[in-house]
Amino acid sequence: MDPLVFFFLVLSIITIIKWYLKRKEIFRTFEKLNIPGPKPSFWFGNILEMIKLDKQCELDWIKKYGSIYGYYFGVNPVLAVNDPELLKLIQVKEAQIFHKRNPYIPMSAVPNKLFGISNTINDGPIWKQTRDMITPSYTTSKLKMLTPTVNRTIEENWKEVREMIKNGETLEMREIYSILLADMAFQTTLGVRVNNKQKIARSLDYAFETNASNTINFISACFPEFGDFLYFIRTTTHKVKRFINVPSMLAVVDLCKDAISARLSLQKQENYADVLQQMINTIYIKNQAKPEKISKDSESKSDTYKKSLLTPINCLANSFYVAIATYDTIRNPMMFATYLIAKYPEVQDRIREEIFQFSNKDESIDYISLTKMKYLDQVFCETLRLYPPVPTFSNRIAEEDYKYKDILIPKGMTVYVPQWGLHRNPEYWSEPDEFKPERFDDKSKVDPYIYQPFGIGPRHCTGMRPAQLIGRLILANLVKNFKITLCPETKEIETDISLVIIHSKNPIYIKATPI
């Protein structure tokens, strides 16, 4: 045998043995920590069981292994915590230790590198400064200003829907809410109207196309060694799609760039109070940066930005993230809420009665009136309990070893808050799978560490307040104007939970009758 061939053969064997031993050691993580959990497969961890059982696996594992257990998302060890006492420590009291977030598949899940530098993934001083920049956009005064925009966007987008209703057509709610929320995402956060709504809606669908059963995501989770190559495949695919002018993730990026450039070109910007303006005030004006148009390759820091850690690329990254998050995290709860109020006409009637108690038929629902609609809020809260919008994204990484009772959480361990398991745990909720808005009649009795659809603590969802506002306004406008019923072809809800977002497996068809 050629010596060179022999050398590479031996080197390959040694590399494979090292890889094998390292992988075996990873799958002994919880065994060594004496933490119970399902036995992992050498090749796939516990991901096949997760795909097969969907979120039911959380309830099964809680029942079998207790409130704290470990599992393997592919090759990634994850500690699931259903203990409210420990969650309080992790998410609030010891939040400085559990500050970072694990995106699970950073190189594949959202096919654009902007996601990786957005505030949802950032940590440290950049996260703090970005959070401080975005949060003022969601004060009560700003939400009051946002309400007319939301109402106008709903009315503009429902003109077509009204025509469909007039013609007796069945409404497929995923499509209707996709178009509405695609427009809503950009009008409320970036102050721009979307021209080709269907194209942008289809483009936004790619953002959280993160099912574990997706081939690229599955391989990335189980064999992260191929992450860079798989990321290259996915991003290249989107570049080709943009080139041939079909929906792609880059269509969303381009729209964000255009929105920023258009805002920067305005002489007067004081009439804008949205997230984009808050970012421009911080990144461009505070830094005394030149208001130049963002180029397609603008992704590097400049000496101009000495007064802030944030640069124009942070503005673009967070514009991109806010747009995609607004779209999917509101669209899916609205689909589930619509299904539930159509299924339970007595709930729908009670919402309508309350709406007319605080709002006239021919007037838009204002912010103050909306805050008085207690039962509407209960329905929305119960919908989020049954179907939390991002049930797998509430996680933290331990930045140092942490001891809790007889459990050691080692540095680097991902700690996961299983919202689905918490929200449907019979230990905490009576008849947990039943739709009962009265659970939220007195919110002071609801434990915030058990019910947390938007997370809790310093890293809770920044967009919680606008998401609640937009969701309740859409639901209120729907019930105020139409009586809705389920169509015979609508099946019982079956969830399809991706790495991030919860979807309905089946279409939701309704009939709407104008009131």
Side-chain angles (χ1 to χ4, degrees):
M1 182 183 289
D2 186 289
L4 189 61
V5 173
F6 179 75
F7 172 76
F8 280 112
L9 180 61
V10 171
L11 186 63
S12 299
I13 291 172
I14 292 172
T15 302
I16 291 171
I17 291 172
K18 283 184 176 180
W19 174 84
Y20 174 82
L21 293 175
K22 181 182 178 181
R23 196 173 179 92
K24 286 284 286 186
E25 192 64 14
I26 288 172
F27 287 132
R28 291 187 63 239
T29 299
F30 293 116
E31 180 186 340
K32 290 189 292 184
L33 293 170
N34 200 28
I35 294 173
K39 185 178 179 180
S41 151
F42 175 80
W43 297 106
F44 310 118
N46 300 114
I47 205 167
L48 291 178
E49 192 172 352
M50 295 171 67
I51 293 170
K52 181 181 178 181
L53 298 176
D54 205 38
K55 297 311 282 183
Q56 180 60 34
C57 69
E58 285 187 11
L59 296 170
D60 291 350
W61 289 343
I62 291 170
K63 189 175 181 180
K64 190 171 182 180
Y65 304 111
S67 61
I68 301 173
Y69 60 86
Y71 70 95
Y72 298 86
F73 183 82
V75 77
N76 189 10
V78 180
L79 182 69
V81 177
N82 295 269
D83 182 337
E85 183 183 340
L86 180 53
L87 288 176
K88 186 174 184 178
L89 292 169
I90 291 169
Q91 294 180 282
V92 179
K93 289 189 174 182
E94 305 285 2
Q96 74 281 1
I97 296 174
F98 298 92
H99 179 67
K100 292 184 179 180
R101 177 175 280 152
N102 187 349
Y104 288 119
I105 306 178
M107 300 304 287
S108 299
V110 177
N112 195 280
K113 58 186 171 183
L114 290 173
F115 179 74
I117 55 174
S118 66
N119 197 44
T120 192
I121 302 299
N122 280 337
D123 57 78
I126 290 181
W127 170 83
K128 178 69 167 61
Q129 192 163 358
T130 306
R131 184 90 174 192
D132 291 345
M133 173 182 66
I134 293 174
T135 301
S137 303
Y138 302 136
T139 61
T140 298
S141 61
K142 297 289 178 64
L143 292 177
K144 285 180 181 178
M145 296 173 66
L146 182 65
T147 302
T149 302
V150 176
N151 281 320
R152 185 187 68 243
T153 308
I154 293 170
E155 191 55 40
E156 287 174 355
N157 281 273
W158 279 2
K159 287 178 182 177
E160 248 181 74
V161 176
R162 290 180 186 279
E163 285 300 313
M164 294 170 66
I165 292 169
K166 192 184 294 184
N167 296 330
E169 295 180 40
T170 296
L171 304 181
E172 200 281 281
M173 298 312 295
R174 180 182 176 87
E175 182 64 21
I176 287 168
Y177 283 139
S178 293
I179 300 299
L180 169 60
L181 268 305
D183 195 16
M184 186 78 72
F186 284 92
Q187 286 213 42
T188 58
T189 61
L190 304 183
V192 295
R193 284 183 165 86
V194 176
N195 292 324
N196 192 337
K197 296 173 189 175
Q198 284 192 329
K199 179 182 177 181
I200 293 299
R202 297 293 78 78
S203 298
L204 285 163
D205 283 337
Y206 288 115
F208 292 121
E209 187 187 43
T210 52
N211 296 59
S213 57
N214 175 287
T215 303
I216 288 180
N217 293 328
F218 183 86
I219 296 173
S220 296
C222 299
F223 305 99
E225 300 87 352
F226 299 108
D228 289 348
F229 173 67
L230 296 170
Y231 173 75
F232 172 77
I233 290 176
R234 182 167 275 178
T235 52
T236 301
T237 300
H238 282 272
K239 288 177 182 177
V240 172
K241 287 180 177 181
R242 178 168 68 177
F243 180 75
I244 61 177
N245 197 29
V246 297
S248 75
M249 197 72 266
L250 292 173
V252 179
V253 176
D254 290 342
L255 187 53
C256 289
K257 289 176 180 176
D258 292 343
I260 296 168
S261 297
R263 184 71 60 85
L264 289 172
S265 68
L266 298 176
Q267 292 297 318
K268 293 185 178 181
Q269 299 178 3
E270 57 268 21
N271 292 331
Y272 291 91
D274 51 25
V275 178
L276 176 57
Q277 192 58 47
Q278 197 70 33
M279 290 192 286
I280 286 174
N281 291 344
T282 302
I283 294 174
Y284 288 87
I285 297 175
K286 184 177 178 180
N287 289 334
Q288 297 178 348
K290 293 180 181 180
E292 297 174 349
K293 185 174 181 179
I294 294 181
S295 69
K296 296 194 182 295
D297 299 316
S298 174
E299 303 208 3
S300 61
K301 291 186 177 181
S302 166
D303 292 337
T304 313
Y305 312 103
K306 293 179 180 178
K307 296 187 178 182
S308 171
L309 293 171
L310 307 176
T311 68
I313 192 61
N314 295 110
C315 182
L316 177 59
N318 285 291
S319 298
F320 169 76
Y321 176 71
V322 169
I324 64 176
T326 301
Y327 174 74
D328 235 355
T329 58
I330 300 176
R331 177 185 63 164
N332 294 301
M334 293 318 305
M335 289 174 60
F336 294 122
T338 302
Y339 171 87
L340 290 167
I341 63 172
K343 182 177 180 179
Y344 299 102
E346 68 280 6
V347 171
Q348 184 182 156
D349 291 341
R350 186 171 168 184
I351 295 173
R352 190 175 295 112
E353 182 181 335
E354 182 180 66
I355 290 170
F356 288 131
Q357 182 182 348
F358 297 108
S359 176
N360 294 326
K361 177 70 173 72
D362 300 322
E363 293 179 355
S364 295
I365 300 170
D366 59 35
Y367 181 82
I368 299 299
S369 298
L370 188 70
T371 58
K372 294 177 181 177
M373 298 175 188
K374 181 182 175 182
Y375 189 69
L376 173 68
D377 183 54
Q378 289 175 220
V379 170
F380 193 67
C381 288
E382 177 68 347
T383 301
L384 295 179
R385 183 191 70 83
L386 286 169
Y387 307 104
V390 283
T392 60
F393 204 54
S394 192
N395 69 70
R396 304 289 184 268
I397 297 176
E399 296 185 59
E400 60 184 67
D401 288 352
Y402 186 79
K403 195 80 162 49
Y404 172 74
K405 296 181 180 178
D406 60 345
I407 296 173
L408 172 66
I409 304 175
K411 181 180 179 180
M413 172 65 70
T414 296
V415 180
Y416 167 56
V417 183
Q419 291 178 344
W420 186 274
L422 285 169
H423 288 191
R424 291 183 181 243
N425 191 332
E427 184 180 338
Y428 305 133
W429 309 90
S430 63
E431 299 181 287
D433 295 327
E434 297 299 315
F435 175 64
K436 292 186 173 183
E438 57 270 20
R439 298 181 204 272
F440 295 91
D441 183 53
D442 184 356
K443 287 188 177 182
S444 66
K445 294 181 180 178
V446 178
D447 189 330
Y449 297 98
I450 292 171
Y451 175 74
Q452 45 169 300
F454 295 99
I456 196 169
R459 292 212 70 151
H460 78 276
C461 176
T462 318
M464 175 181 69
R465 295 191 73 196
Q468 291 174 321
L469 171 74
I470 293 169
R472 285 185 293 164
L473 274 175
I474 292 173
L475 198 58
N477 275 283
L478 178 68
V479 175
K480 180 181 178 180
N481 291 286
F482 307 104
K483 181 178 180 179
I484 62 171
T485 55
L486 292 176
C487 295
E489 58 266 42
T490 300
K491 299 178 182 178
E492 285 289 324
I493 287 289
E494 286 185 71
T495 56
D496 181 15
I497 301 176
S498 69
L499 306 183
V500 181
I501 301 291
I502 180 172
H503 301 277
S504 171
K505 281 185 181 179
N506 305 312
I508 295 173
Y509 300 102
I510 69 165
K511 280 284 186 182
T513 306
I515 295 175

